Amino acid sequence: MTPDTGQIHITRGRGGEVEVGGSIDSFAGDILRRAGFLFEPSLSGYWIRLPFDMGHGWENERATWAAEMLTAARYPVHLAPDLHRDTAGAIVPAGPARPPAMTAQAPPDRRTGR
């Protein structure tokens, strides 16, 4: 990526869809695909968007994740304020909670099995 590359914008369009605009190279495109964005051919290139009707929470989670990964890869990214993970009923991570670490006890003795 060169310093003169324009900013990547992740916004919610007029129809409610989450879309990406700006200068997207192949690596940024791979990151967006991994986050769930679709690349639809259009007359002016590609329309990059998330699937329709997945819910605002899911869309916000994917948009935030994409913005974080693009930022980690040093792309200049603007994420619209209404797409941050904390807004519109964000998805709570599923799965069992990890038990707290047990640092107060000594490890079990292998010879006695206790």
Side-chain angles (χ1 to χ4, degrees):
M1 186 172 121
T2 60
D4 60 340
T5 304
Q7 192 172 38
I8 298 172
H9 297 274
I10 304 175
T11 58
R12 192 173 299 279
R14 286 179 273 161
E17 71 282 349
V18 177
E19 53 192 11
V20 177
S23 181
I24 308 294
D25 62 10
S26 63
F27 184 65
D30 289 342
I31 292 171
L32 291 169
R33 283 184 189 90
R34 179 75 177 190
F37 284 84
L38 305 173
F39 285 65
E40 299 289 331
S42 69
L43 294 175
S44 61
Y46 285 98
W47 179 31
I48 306 169
R49 65 172 179 84
L50 284 175
F52 297 127
D53 299 329
M54 298 302 286
H56 286 287
W58 185 87
E59 292 169 348
N60 291 0
E61 181 73 25
R62 294 299 172 160
T64 301
W65 186 87
E68 289 171 352
M69 292 300 104
L70 289 166
T71 301
R74 298 187 182 259
Y75 286 94
V77 179
H78 170 73
L79 180 64
D82 63 331
L83 289 176
H84 287 277
R85 184 177 287 132
D86 300 336
T87 60
I91 297 173
V92 176
R98 190 173 199 179
M102 303 284 289
T103 57
Q105 298 176 358
D109 187 8
R110 291 187 179 174
R111 291 175 290 206
T112 61
R114 292 188 264 154

